[in-house]
Amino acid sequence: MSAFGASRQMLRTIAGHGWRARSSKPAQNVHISKPGAGFSFELTDEQKEFQATARKFAVEEIIPVAAQYDKTGEYPLPLIKRAWELGLINSHIPESCGGLGLGSFEACLITEELAYGCTGVQTAIEANSLGQMPVIIAGNEQQQKKYLGRMTEEPMMCAYCVTEPGAGSDVAGIKTKAEKKGDEYVINGQKMWITNGGKANWYFLLARTNPDPKAPASKAFTGFIVEADSPGIQIGRKEMNMGQRCSDTRGIVFEDVRVPKENVLIAEGAGFKIAMGAFDKTRPPVAAGAVGLAKRALDEATKYALERKTFGKPIVEHQAVSFMLAEMAMKVELARMAYQRAAWEVDAGRRNTYYASIAKAFAGDVANQVATDAVQIFGGNGFNTEYPVEKLMRDAKIYQVSKQESVIFIVMHTFYDRKVLFWNLKVLSPNCTPASEEINE
């Protein structure tokens, strides 16, 4: 068999939706570590079951209608209801509130599969986890049962209201204010790019409660749970974005919105820490969504390359195409390992800011690179809406746009590590001089 023939046979083997299930089976006579005994790539039976359920749902129910939702921008409520019935939504909610209480790793496995079907649908679903996370990590028992419990009783959405027209990655730049008056807080301000903003039953909202502009972020902001039907809330129009068009994204204005003090998370001034803690737990699923999109682009490109013929043979047998597919596959695998490491870290009870930021930034780039390469492999057909990859390319861009805050955290973490390293070197060797004087400041 020729080298290209062998390559083609290998691509046929990995193409389609079942290759991951086959590759996850342990080889015979290979030691599989028990939980806590060391590192293992093997999924538990429960994890495989969630993964298979999400994969089946994506392939059989999301993919057939994804293009239509993209064209109309209609909110995918029927799919969300179905995902709720299957237990593929609200996976983080604790068992004490009627949820499944799954870890970040399991949630990421589900997210990758849903994103394989359509990241617009997956984003609508995943936004619930982002909105819920501050209540999960910082809510008291009463708050959790009231606001998380209702989401297990019927399909219901929530939203994370932090981003503003002038404050995205710079969370500390938030201008929305909350002033305490008696037993209530009065909130005024504007939020922007809020996923599920027009569909949410309640919001997590971050607002400034310390009027002193010099107050540190760690003490200046407070996290609130706000009922979406509160008087004074004005929901803006649905934004028609470049990609992920069925996701509901809006601006929201808060004008003299009154919130009872019972809806403050932890205490006044704790909001910034809560918001950052939520990001640590929700960055891995964002990365997993990017990986799901990249895997879909790889599969579509592989299938097309095996079928499309030029110069009398399938284009996969042209070295330029086969090398491109190999590069795409490597990137997908590495991005998957990045999000799984980040999810594993947080489930182990460790702060994962560094790994989660790397996973989100890297997977976002991979999704864009792989989707772009898929369009290239499709050639002129890839530029046409009758083929799936142009949608994947549009959907992927938001992962790069939103990676900026992850890059900021990576830079901060790396800078801090270098300062500690040079400080330790100076203690051990007083004559050691850092390469940059700035690092020694």
Side-chain angles (χ1 to χ4, degrees), residues 46-47 50 87-108 110 129 132-133 136 144 148 152 281 347:
E46 182 184 58
Q47 289 169 341
F50 279 116
L88 300 176
I89 190 171
N90 303 328
S91 61
H92 292 291
I93 293 180
E95 294 181 72
S96 60
C97 298
L100 296 174
L102 299 185
S104 181
F105 194 93
E106 289 79 12
C108 285
I110 293 171
S129 296
Q132 295 163 2
M133 195 55 65
I136 291 173
Q144 289 186 350
L148 300 179
T152 66
K281 291 180 178 291
D347 286 344

Coordinates of all heavy atoms in Angstrom, one line a residue, residues 46-47 50 87-108 110 129 132-133 136 144 148 152 281 347:
E46 N -19.4 6.9 34.1 CA -20.3 8.0 34.1 C -20.0 9.1 33.2 O -20.8 9.7 32.5 CB -20.4 8.6 35.6 CG -21.5 9.7 35.7 CD -21.5 10.3 37.1 OE1 -20.4 10.8 37.5 OE2 -22.5 10.3 37.8
Q47 N -18.7 9.5 33.1 CA -18.2 10.5 32.2 C -18.5 10.1 30.7 O -18.9 10.9 29.9 CB -16.7 10.8 32.4 CG -16.5 11.5 33.7 CD -15.0 11.5 34.1 OE1 -14.2 10.8 33.5 NE2 -14.6 12.5 35.0
F50 N -22.2 10.6 30.0 CA -22.6 12.0 29.7 C -22.1 12.4 28.3 O -22.8 13.1 27.5 CB -22.0 12.9 30.8 CG -22.9 12.9 32.0 CD1 -22.3 12.5 33.2 CD2 -24.1 13.5 32.0 CE1 -23.1 12.5 34.4 CE2 -24.9 13.5 33.1 CZ -24.4 13.0 34.3
G87 N -30.6 16.4 30.9 CA -29.6 16.7 32.0 C -28.4 17.3 31.5 O -27.3 17.2 32.2
L88 N -28.4 17.9 30.3 CA -27.2 18.5 29.7 C -27.0 20.0 30.0 O -26.1 20.6 29.4 CB -27.2 18.2 28.2 CG -27.2 16.8 27.7 CD1 -27.4 16.6 26.2 CD2 -26.0 16.0 28.3
I89 N -27.9 20.5 30.8 CA -27.9 21.9 31.1 C -27.9 22.0 32.6 O -28.5 21.1 33.3 CB -29.0 22.7 30.4 CG1 -28.9 24.2 30.6 CG2 -30.4 22.2 30.9 CD1 -29.9 25.0 29.7
N90 N -27.3 23.1 33.2 CA -27.3 23.3 34.7 C -26.5 22.2 35.4 O -26.9 21.8 36.5 CB -28.8 23.3 35.2 CG -29.6 24.4 34.6 OD1 -29.1 25.4 34.2 ND2 -30.9 24.1 34.5
S91 N -25.5 21.6 34.7 CA -24.8 20.5 35.3 C -24.1 20.8 36.6 O -23.8 20.0 37.4 CB -23.8 19.9 34.3 OG -22.9 20.9 33.9
H92 N -23.8 22.1 36.8 CA -23.0 22.5 38.0 C -23.9 22.6 39.3 O -23.3 22.7 40.4 CB -22.4 23.9 37.8 CG -21.3 23.9 36.7 ND1 -20.1 23.3 36.9 CD2 -21.2 24.5 35.5 CE1 -19.3 23.5 35.9 NE2 -20.0 24.2 35.0
I93 N -25.2 22.7 39.1 CA -26.0 23.0 40.3 C -25.9 21.8 41.3 O -26.0 20.7 40.9 CB -27.5 23.1 39.8 CG1 -27.7 24.4 39.0 CG2 -28.4 23.2 41.0 CD1 -29.1 24.7 38.5
P94 N -25.7 22.2 42.6 CA -25.5 21.1 43.6 C -26.7 20.2 43.7 O -27.8 20.6 43.5 CB -25.2 22.0 44.8 CG -24.8 23.3 44.4 CD -25.6 23.5 43.1
E95 N -26.4 19.0 44.2 CA -27.5 18.1 44.4 C -28.4 18.6 45.5 O -29.6 18.3 45.5 CB -26.9 16.7 44.9 CG -26.1 16.0 43.8 CD -25.5 14.7 44.2 OE1 -26.3 13.7 44.3 OE2 -24.3 14.6 44.4
S96 N -27.9 19.4 46.4 CA -28.8 19.9 47.5 C -29.9 20.8 46.9 O -30.9 21.1 47.6 CB -28.0 20.7 48.5 OG -27.3 21.8 47.9
C97 N -29.7 21.3 45.7 CA -30.6 22.2 45.1 C -31.4 21.5 44.0 O -32.1 22.1 43.2 CB -30.0 23.5 44.5 SG -29.2 24.5 45.8
G98 N -31.2 20.2 43.9 CA -31.9 19.4 42.9 C -31.1 19.2 41.6 O -31.7 18.6 40.6
G99 N -29.9 19.6 41.6 CA -29.0 19.5 40.4 C -28.2 18.2 40.4 O -28.3 17.4 41.3
L100 N -27.3 18.1 39.4 CA -26.5 16.9 39.3 C -25.2 17.0 40.0 O -24.5 16.1 40.4 CB -26.2 16.6 37.8 CG -27.4 16.3 36.9 CD1 -26.9 16.2 35.4 CD2 -28.0 15.0 37.4
G101 N -24.8 18.3 40.3 CA -23.6 18.5 41.0 C -22.3 18.0 40.3 O -21.4 17.5 41.0
L102 N -22.3 18.1 39.0 CA -21.1 17.6 38.3 C -19.9 18.5 38.4 O -20.1 19.7 38.7 CB -21.5 17.4 36.8 CG -22.6 16.5 36.4 CD1 -22.7 16.4 34.9 CD2 -22.3 15.1 37.0
G103 N -18.7 18.0 38.2 CA -17.5 18.8 38.3 C -17.3 19.5 37.0 O -18.0 19.3 36.0
S104 N -16.3 20.3 37.0 CA -15.9 21.1 35.8 C -15.5 20.2 34.6 O -15.8 20.4 33.5 CB -14.8 22.1 36.1 OG -14.5 22.9 34.9
F105 N -14.8 19.1 35.0 CA -14.3 18.2 33.9 C -15.5 17.6 33.2 O -15.5 17.5 31.9 CB -13.5 17.1 34.5 CG -12.7 16.3 33.6 CD1 -11.4 16.6 33.3 CD2 -13.3 15.2 32.9 CE1 -10.7 15.9 32.3 CE2 -12.5 14.4 32.0 CZ -11.2 14.8 31.7
E106 N -16.5 17.1 33.9 CA -17.7 16.5 33.2 C -18.4 17.5 32.4 O -18.9 17.3 31.3 CB -18.6 15.9 34.3 CG -18.1 14.6 35.0 CD -17.1 14.9 36.1 OE1 -16.9 16.1 36.5 OE2 -16.4 13.9 36.5
A107 N -18.6 18.7 33.0 CA -19.2 19.8 32.2 C -18.5 20.1 30.9 O -19.2 20.4 29.9 CB -19.3 21.1 33.1
C108 N -17.2 20.1 31.0 CA -16.4 20.3 29.7 C -16.6 19.3 28.7 O -16.7 19.5 27.5 CB -15.0 20.5 30.1 SG -14.5 22.1 30.9
I110 N -19.3 17.5 28.2 CA -20.6 17.8 27.6 C -20.5 19.0 26.7 O -21.1 19.0 25.6 CB -21.6 18.1 28.8 CG1 -21.9 16.8 29.6 CG2 -23.0 18.6 28.2 CD1 -22.7 17.0 30.8
S129 N -24.5 28.4 33.1 CA -23.4 28.0 34.0 C -22.7 29.3 34.5 O -22.4 29.4 35.7 CB -22.5 27.0 33.4 OG -23.1 25.8 33.1
Q132 N -24.9 31.2 36.9 CA -25.1 30.4 38.1 C -23.9 30.4 39.0 O -24.0 30.3 40.2 CB -25.6 29.0 37.8 CG -26.9 28.8 37.1 CD -27.0 27.4 36.5 OE1 -26.1 26.6 36.6 NE2 -28.1 27.2 35.8
M133 N -22.7 30.4 38.4 CA -21.5 30.1 39.1 C -21.3 31.0 40.4 O -20.9 30.5 41.4 CB -20.3 30.2 38.2 CG -19.1 29.5 38.8 SD -19.3 27.8 39.4 CE -19.7 27.0 37.8
I136 N -23.3 29.6 43.0 CA -22.8 28.3 43.5 C -21.6 28.5 44.4 O -21.6 27.8 45.4 CB -22.4 27.5 42.2 CG1 -23.7 27.1 41.4 CG2 -21.7 26.2 42.7 CD1 -23.4 26.4 40.1
Q144 N -29.2 29.9 47.3 CA -29.0 28.8 46.4 C -30.3 28.0 46.1 O -30.6 27.7 45.0 CB -27.9 27.8 46.9 CG -26.5 28.4 46.8 CD -25.5 27.4 47.2 OE1 -25.8 26.3 47.7 NE2 -24.2 27.7 47.0
L148 N -31.1 28.7 42.4 CA -30.7 27.5 41.6 C -31.7 26.5 41.6 O -31.9 25.8 40.6 CB -29.4 27.0 42.3 CG -28.2 27.9 42.3 CD1 -27.0 27.2 43.0 CD2 -27.8 28.4 40.9
T152 N -34.0 23.9 38.3 CA -34.1 22.4 38.2 C -35.5 22.0 38.0 O -35.8 20.8 37.8 CB -33.4 21.7 39.4 OG1 -34.2 22.0 40.6 CG2 -32.0 22.2 39.5
K281 N -13.8 29.0 37.0 CA -14.5 27.8 36.8 C -15.2 27.7 35.5 O -15.6 26.7 35.0 CB -15.6 27.6 38.0 CG -15.0 27.4 39.3 CD -16.0 27.2 40.4 CE -15.4 26.9 41.7 NZ -14.9 25.5 41.8
D347 N -11.3 21.0 39.7 CA -12.0 19.9 40.4 C -11.1 19.4 41.6 O -11.7 18.8 42.5 CB -12.3 18.8 39.5 CG -13.5 19.2 38.6 OD1 -14.2 20.2 38.9 OD2 -13.7 18.5 37.5

